[in-house]
């Protein structure tokens, strides 16, 4: 079984640096793939209310027999959970669907700034952290401006911000802000969501030079930048491939070559306009 390193969140909770993403798997597919992922050694699973697969994820987790303390389950809630009471109710619904007693990391899925209630949702999350329903709290798709508002109005920064991040979108400014405030950056679409990223000649060349696959090069890039990545696959043979990255050391020259892929923000899903 591969040894997956972890990163310590500000409150001392340990989070694996590599996990398994479950969007857009349906309930049955999520159950099948999460079972296979746990078997392959994954210990971080990422789901969400919006994915409508939490029941399948929960079934796979319970069937695995892995002790809760050995697993790191992340889920998220939608705009209807934005509010102090609403966030607590949303979390109770997450728990019911997952069939778990505790969530390791709960995230506000999108800030929905037009709705204007993400600070209240954050206050609700603080209560859930306090009463031990969740071990860590965070957000997703928040900009530094949204994060600054949480900090200014509640005095507490999220433990994690899960954002769209890969070599096309290295999100340098956001990572710097996170670092300043002790927020761990988690990358969604870490290997480009099945589009052209893994066919980039630069990545193919680096992969050939190291005897690794393009996906492994990109996943190692996340690791060397100090990011948590949650690749998704429905191809069972890719589960071990995506974990087998920790013996790879990208050189400073490799990192410079990967930096040339930066698209300077083009293709980012804009949280001012998008959300659910
Ligand atoms: P991703 O993990 O970057 O890419 C998934 C794609 O890569 C699939 O098409 C998969 O194909 C392919 N793939 C996987 N391993 C591969 C390998 N070794 N070689 C070649 N291709 C490979 O994209 P994502 O699913 O968009 O993002 C990951 C997770 O982030 C999601 O599953 C979800 O949990 C989370 N997410 C969060 C948000 C948010 O708003 N917070 C938004 C989107 C996603 P096959 O399935 O055919 O193997």
């Amino acid at each position: 079984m591969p040894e997956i390193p972890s990163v310590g969140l500000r409150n001392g909770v340990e989070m694996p640096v590599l996990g398994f993403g479950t969007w857009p798997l349906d309930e049955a597919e999520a159950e099948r793939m999460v079972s296979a992922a746990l078997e392959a050694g994954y210990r971080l699973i990422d789901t969400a209310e919006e994915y409508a697969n939490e029941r399948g994820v929960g079934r796979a987790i319970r069937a695995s027999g892995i002790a809760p303390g050995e697993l790191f389950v992340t889920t998220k809630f939608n705009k209807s959970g934005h509010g102090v009471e609403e966030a607590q109710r949303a979390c109770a619904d997450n728990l019911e669907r997952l069939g778990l007693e505790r969530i390791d990391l709960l995230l506000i899925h999108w800030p929905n700034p037009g709705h204007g209630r993400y600070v209240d949702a954050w206050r609700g999350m603080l209560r859930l952290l306090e009463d031990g329903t969740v071990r860590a709290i965070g957000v997703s798709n928040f900009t530094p401006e949204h994060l600054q508002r949480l900090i200014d109005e509640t005095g507490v920064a999220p433990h994690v911000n899960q954002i769209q991040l890969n070599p096309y979108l290295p999100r340098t400014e956001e990572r710097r802000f996170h670092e300043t405030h002790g927020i761990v950056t988690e990358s969604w679409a870490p290997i480009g969501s099945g589009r052209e990223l893994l066919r980039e000649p630069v990545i193919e060349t680096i992969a050939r030079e190291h005897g690794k696959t393009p996906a492994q090069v990109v996943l190692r890039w996340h690791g060397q930048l100090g990011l948590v990545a949650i690749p998704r696959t429905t191809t069972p043979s890719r589960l071990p491939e995506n974990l087998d990255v920790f013996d790879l050391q990208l050189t400073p020259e490799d990192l410079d070559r990967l930096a040339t892929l930066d698209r300077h923000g083009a293709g980012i899903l804009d949280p001012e306009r998008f959300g659910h």
Side-chain angles (χ1 to χ4, degrees):
M1 207 63 95
E3 187 70 30
I4 303 168
S6 63
V7 56
L9 305 181
R10 270 196 338 276
N11 63 348
V13 167
E14 291 287 322
M15 178 177 190
V17 299
L18 197 50
F20 183 71
T22 67
W23 173 84
L25 312 187
D26 67 21
E27 224 176 89
E29 215 171 20
E31 182 175 358
R32 196 172 57 249
M33 288 310 299
V34 169
S35 289
L38 294 173
E39 181 95 357
Y42 289 78
R43 289 298 178 265
L44 160 56
I45 306 294
D46 183 83
T47 180
E49 170 187 358
E50 179 66 16
Y51 305 166
N53 63 20
E54 285 172 304
R55 290 185 197 282
V57 169
R59 279 198 293 273
I61 289 172
R62 293 195 306 281
S64 74
I66 299 169
E70 303 293 312
L71 266 184
F72 193 97
V73 181
T74 302
T75 193
K76 325 182 184 80
F77 61 82
N78 285 348
K79 184 166 76 176
S80 57
H82 287 208
V84 179
E85 305 299 327
E86 288 89 336
Q88 293 172 90
R89 227 177 4 251
C91 178
D93 292 343
N94 290 123
L95 283 167
E96 187 273 320
R97 287 187 295 266
L98 285 163
L100 299 177
E101 280 170 16
R102 212 155 66 140
I103 288 164
D104 296 285
L105 174 65
L106 183 65
L107 306 178
I108 300 176
H109 203 150
W110 287 89
N112 290 288
H115 188 56
R117 301 210 62 201
Y118 65 79
V119 178
D120 282 337
W122 187 241
R123 292 188 213 280
M125 305 267 279
L126 291 170
R127 292 198 188 168
L128 290 163
L129 184 66
E130 217 174 271
D131 70 22
T133 309
V134 300
R135 295 174 66 225
I137 52 175
V139 295
S140 180
N141 302 300
F142 275 46
T143 64
E145 291 71 28
H146 302 138
L147 293 167
Q148 190 62 57
R149 212 180 136 201
L150 295 185
I151 296 165
D152 290 345
E153 296 193 28
T154 70
V156 187
H159 292 122
V160 174
N161 188 16
Q162 183 184 114
I163 56 173
Q164 188 183 2
L165 199 163
N166 57 48
Y168 283 150
L169 301 169
R171 313 295 296 268
T172 313
E173 224 173 275
E174 288 89 340
R175 284 194 280 123
R176 203 170 296 132
F177 184 92
H178 295 171
E179 247 173 63
T180 306
H181 295 278
I183 301 168
V184 167
T185 305
E186 183 176 24
S187 310
W188 69 256
I191 49 175
S193 226
R195 300 199 189 93
E196 69 276 23
L197 177 69
L198 299 182
R199 293 187 296 277
E200 284 289 346
V202 166
I203 295 178
E204 286 181 334
T205 303
I206 296 172
R208 230 181 356 261
E209 288 168 1
H210 287 280
K212 288 285 187 184
T213 67
Q216 288 172 328
V217 166
V218 175
L219 290 169
R220 192 58 192 134
W221 175 86
H222 289 274
Q224 285 186 222
L225 262 54
L227 312 170
V228 176
I230 43 169
R232 169 250 316 179
T233 182
T234 44
T235 312
S237 63
R238 288 176 170 166
L239 287 170
E241 173 187 338
N242 293 351
L243 275 190
D244 182 20
V245 301
F246 297 106
D247 60 346
L248 170 61
Q249 188 63 28
L250 297 171
T251 64
E253 294 72 36
D254 294 335
L255 296 174
D256 286 347
R257 282 189 284 174
L258 290 166
T260 63
L261 296 172
D262 190 348
R263 288 182 169 176
H264 305 287
I268 294 179
L269 264 188
D270 180 3
E272 297 295 329
R273 258 166 285 189
F274 186 84
H276 34 65

